């Protein structure tokens, strides 16, 4: 989480100094830029039995989401028959289990290329918006029950 914010702050600073726009695109948009213009689901293996997915349909892209592979397979609209990304085989296997064996897989699409990243940046619609991270999973770090901040102790049962 912190690494993303530091990298984005550095990119924003360099863009500001060079007087050029800083354009943010997701890995989904970057992979999509190198693929044929057809309805497609980009699915990335997020590990922990989870898939990060964004569907690019005829009516535009749906919001990116995090789901187990079986739920991802069920959530893909009927008019989408192509899967790309590092989680494509996982979703295809889950789809076969629920009776949807009609997905074809795009090879060599697990990560964006320099060319696809550049194409996604040129195609970006929101060039004037601030670059922000896209978080699809909650952080693993949790607040501690007893926290000491600036000399104030907050106990689990109340403030002291």
């Amino acid at each position: 989480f912190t690494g993303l914010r530091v990298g984005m702050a550095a990119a924003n600073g360099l863009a500001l100094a060079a007087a050029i726009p800083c354009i943010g695109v997701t890995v989904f948009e970057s992979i999509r830029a190198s693929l044929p213009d057809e309805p497609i689901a980009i699915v990335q293996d997020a590990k922990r039995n989870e898939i990060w997915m964004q569907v690019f349909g005829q009516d535009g892209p749906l919001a990116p989401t995090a789901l187990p592979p079986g739920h991802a397979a069920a959530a893909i609209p009927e008019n989408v028959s192509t899967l790309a990304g590092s989680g494509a085989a996982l979703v295809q296997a889950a789809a076969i289990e629920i009776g949807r064996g009609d997905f074809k897989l795009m090879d060599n699409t697990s990560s964006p290329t320099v060319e696809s990243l550049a194409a996604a940046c040129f195609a970006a619609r929101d060039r004037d918006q601030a670059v922000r991270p896209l978080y699809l999973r909650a952080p693993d770090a949790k607040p501690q029950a007893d926290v000491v901040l600036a000399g104030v102790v907050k106990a689990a049962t109340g403030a002291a």
Side-chain angles (χ1 to χ4, degrees):
F1 289 90
T2 303
L4 283 175
R5 288 190 212 110
V6 169
M8 289 180 188
N12 278 318
L14 291 171
L16 182 63
I20 58 174
C22 184
I23 302 167
V25 295
T26 67
V27 68
F28 302 110
E29 294 165 332
S30 184
I31 291 173
R32 174 70 174 126
S34 66
L35 300 175
D37 190 22
E38 64 183 64
I40 192 165
I42 310 290
V43 288
Q44 293 296 98
D45 184 359
K47 308 297 182 202
R48 303 181 193 174
N49 195 35
E50 193 172 58
I51 295 294
W52 293 332
M53 176 175 78
Q54 185 169 19
V55 175
F56 294 86
Q58 295 169 335
D59 298 327
L62 301 177
T65 187
L67 299 165
H71 292 174
I76 297 172
E78 291 294 325
N79 67 337
V80 176
S81 61
T82 305
L83 302 174
S86 64
L90 294 170
V91 172
Q92 183 183 43
I96 290 170
E97 288 183 21
I98 63 170
R100 266 196 88 184
D102 59 338
F103 290 117
K104 69 177 182 177
L105 304 183
M106 298 289 293
D107 292 331
N108 302 318
T109 59
S110 61
S111 60
T113 63
V114 172
E115 293 84 4
S116 68
L117 178 60
C121 287
F122 282 116
R125 294 180 299 265
D126 299 327
R127 291 175 175 253
D128 296 329
Q129 288 204 349
V131 175
R132 295 184 326 254
L134 171 64
Y135 297 123
L136 297 179
R137 178 184 287 155
D140 290 331
K142 304 289 183 222
Q144 297 175 357
D146 296 326
V147 180
V148 177
L149 286 173
V152 178
V153 177
K154 178 183 170 192
T157 58

